[in-house]
Amino acid sequence: MGSLSTKIHAIVDALGNPLHFELTGGEAHDSVQRYKLLQAIEPTMKQVLADRVYDTNAIRALLNEEQAIPVIPTPRNTTR
């Protein structure tokens, strides 16, 4: 059952100023938006600070291609 909520997915700079955002329905899964949103980062971004849910091989590969340093904690149940 869906809800009447909205999720805001945003990229902000170091001062918290919004650079890019997407709105989705509350029932939409975050994993769909994460990769799509990170594709919108500017090439000048050198570090990407993100939550544990962004720690995927695809996202790390994308950031590596963009020559950005991922500052993402590894989930506790992940071994690398």
Side-chain angles (χ1 to χ4, degrees):
M1 179 175 189
S3 63
L4 298 175
S5 62
T6 302
K7 291 183 182 178
I8 302 170
H9 308 270
I11 293 178
V12 299
D13 66 11
L15 299 174
N17 298 314
L19 301 174
H20 183 81
F21 72 94
E22 298 278 336
L23 299 176
T24 62
E27 74 284 351
H29 197 279
D30 292 342
S31 64
V32 176
Q33 285 303 120
R34 290 190 301 235
Y35 189 83
K36 180 180 171 185
L37 191 63
L38 285 173
Q39 287 178 318
I41 65 172
E42 296 294 323
T44 58
M45 296 180 91
K46 298 297 180 194
Q47 296 179 333
V48 175
L49 175 65
D51 191 61
R52 288 186 203 303
V53 297
Y54 286 82
D55 186 41
T56 66
N57 291 336
I59 288 176
R60 287 186 176 271
L62 174 65
L63 296 177
N64 190 37
E65 287 175 23
E66 298 293 332
Q67 298 180 346
I69 299 169
V71 183
I72 306 171
T74 303
R76 291 179 187 98
N77 61 351
T78 301
T79 57
R80 288 190 187 198

